[in-house]
Amino acid sequence: MNQNQLFQQTRLRLALWYALVMALILSLCGYGIYKAIAHAHWMTLDRELESVAGTLHDSIELKLQQPGRLEPVIEKLLPNICVVGKSCIQQQSNSQRHILSAINQGHYYVRFFDNLGNLFAIAGVYPEGLSPVFNQELWQTIKDDKGKVYHQISFVLHTQENRDWGYIQVGRNLEDFNNYLDAVKLTLTLGLPIIIGLVGFASWYLAGLAMQPIYRSYRQIQQFTADAAHELRTPLAATQATVESALLMPQLDESESREILGTIQRQNQRLTTLVADLLLLNRLDRQPIMQRDVCCLNDIINDLIEEFAALAIANNITLTSTVKEAKFLNIIGNEDQLYRLFSNLIINAIQYTPPGGKITVSLDRNDRYAVIQVQDTGIGIPQPEQNRIFDRFYRVNSDRSRNTGGSGLGLAIAQALVQAHHGSLNVQSELGQGSTFTTKLPLK
């Protein structure tokens, strides 16, 4: 296959197209996975931020008494709180409360605004470069002067007497979130070419596997065309030579004319038989069985034994039959095609069995199948050749086949007829000991 440039190019194009299609599919899948991960992580971040902010809001609002004033108890809840305008030092709280542990994770910050929207106090991580003006939107995603991204939520605070105290704003730095998404993006970006490379190698290998049956069929067609041309050329050349020799003779008597016509008739008969076999194979390929009826294998075998008895005697061969099943074995098939099937096997056995040999045709039953065996004591078939004897125009011994007038289509037709009847045909043979062709056909 490697020597055929056409199939190599086809294999390469098939592998490239497969890899390109897979690259597109994987790219779309990778983009979808990235968006899904980002969305899921963002929703988790929103829920976490809303939970922390809601807990802080509820805890602080219960302790507020006067608008714009931080009660001392709030400083206990948020030890690192810093009022704007005062010098403050960040402290880490030792409290084990969930609220403070979340605030002190290093990502969260809390900002307090008065009723006029002016920044009043800051707790948690002190973000730099954020606008000190309050924005009344519930959710915000903003950037500071250094390009850092923050996500925050805002709530209204009321005093114990339900007066407006101001606003609380809880936010977090998105650096860890963006780093996580960058890591996912990098993994997908680096992983995609590696996967595409593996897909490319796999597609090249799979394209080779897919091309093998096509390549074998292509080679069989090439071989079939060459063999058919060779088989047709031989009788045509012989006919042409006979005609040319006749034309060179100044005068032909009646005996010479009859001899020439006989030669032409034999070659024409050979061409007719060859064309008929090719047409039969073509019909079997297109439409295996034209007509189906109930066929009795016992009658077919007995008729063939009587038909070929004279040919066997002429070749000094003993032809017998053995029926091991007491009942008649019937199948659904085409009687003419079954006659052709078993006659091909018997003729093949007669042609390859030397004088003094024996051919036995046996009929038996095995479960739901009728088993027909044609056993001979002929020259046998070498083991490496047994898988190829059913190929069209294939001969184990060309000289012997030509002497017997064969074209190499008999066993190919037999195989096609067996397959048309949903059966099987195999051979067991030993060189110099003979061959046994076993046919299994499903019973009615």
Side-chain angles (χ1 to χ4, degrees), residues 364-375:
D364 197 1
R365 175 174 183 161
N366 182 9
D367 295 332
R368 295 175 298 171
Y369 291 89
V371 181
I372 305 94
Q373 289 186 330
V374 179
Q375 183 176 10

Side-chain angles (χ1 to χ4, degrees), residues 303-322:
D303 291 346
L304 288 174
I305 294 297
E306 293 179 4
E307 180 180 341
F308 289 104
L311 179 61
I313 294 173
N315 287 274
N316 192 22
I317 295 173
T318 302
L319 177 62
T320 59
S321 63
T322 303

Side-chain angles (χ1 to χ4, degrees), residues 32-49:
I33 290 172
Y34 173 78
K35 298 298 289 185
I37 291 175
H39 178 73
H41 205 62
W42 186 263
M43 295 300 295
T44 302
L45 185 147
D46 276 355
R47 287 194 296 269
E48 178 186 318
L49 184 57

Side-chain angles (χ1 to χ4, degrees), residues 63-266:
K63 300 173 177 60
L64 297 176
Q65 297 180 1
Q66 295 182 8
R69 176 185 171 185
L70 289 174
E71 304 298 332
V73 68
I74 297 177
E75 296 180 359
K76 293 181 180 180
L77 288 173
L78 301 171
N80 64 342
I81 191 170
C82 177
V83 178
V84 175
K86 293 183 180 181
S87 178
C88 302
I89 300 177
Q90 288 187 346
Q91 300 177 1
Q92 293 294 332
S93 172
N94 294 324
S95 174
Q96 299 299 318
R97 292 188 179 184
H98 172 72
I99 304 172
L100 298 182
S101 63
I103 294 300
N104 293 323
Q105 284 178 356
H107 301 295
Y108 284 89
Y109 62 88
V110 182
R111 299 202 296 175
F112 294 92
F113 296 85
D114 58 22
N115 287 322
L116 298 177
N118 298 317
L119 184 61
F120 185 79
I122 304 175
V125 179
Y126 299 166
E128 299 178 359
L130 293 184
S131 174
V133 180
F134 178 73
N135 191 316
Q136 294 187 358
E137 292 183 13
L138 179 63
W139 289 98
Q140 283 184 289
T141 302
I142 55 178
K143 289 185 179 180
D144 62 10
D145 297 339
K146 297 181 180 180
K148 294 182 179 180
V149 183
Y150 299 88
H151 191 54
Q152 61 187 22
I153 186 173
S154 303
F155 293 106
V156 178
L157 287 173
H158 299 86
T159 65
Q160 294 177 354
E161 298 175 355
N162 202 25
R163 290 183 297 171
D164 291 340
W165 184 92
Y167 306 93
I168 182 174
Q169 192 176 76
V170 182
R172 78 186 306 275
N173 192 328
L174 296 184
E175 184 177 1
D176 61 329
F177 173 73
N178 291 330
N179 289 338
Y180 175 76
L181 292 184
D182 289 341
V184 172
K185 194 184 302 182
L186 181 62
T187 302
L188 293 175
T189 303
L190 295 180
L192 185 61
I194 297 175
I195 295 175
I196 294 301
L198 295 176
V199 169
F201 284 112
S203 61
W204 172 261
Y205 175 73
L206 294 176
L209 293 181
M211 293 293 292
Q212 285 181 5
I214 302 175
Y215 182 73
R216 285 196 296 267
S217 299
Y218 174 75
R219 292 299 300 271
Q220 288 176 355
I221 292 174
Q222 281 187 323
Q223 186 66 37
F224 175 79
T225 303
D227 292 339
H230 180 75
E231 292 296 333
L232 292 171
R233 183 179 62 183
T234 302
L236 289 174
T239 302
Q240 180 69 19
T242 303
V243 173
E244 289 178 353
S245 63
L247 292 175
L248 293 176
M249 294 182 181
Q251 187 175 358
L252 295 174
D253 56 24
E254 183 178 354
S255 61
E256 291 175 334
S257 299
R258 287 185 175 277
E259 183 178 352
I260 291 172
L261 291 174
T263 301
I264 295 176
Q265 183 185 20
R266 287 193 300 273

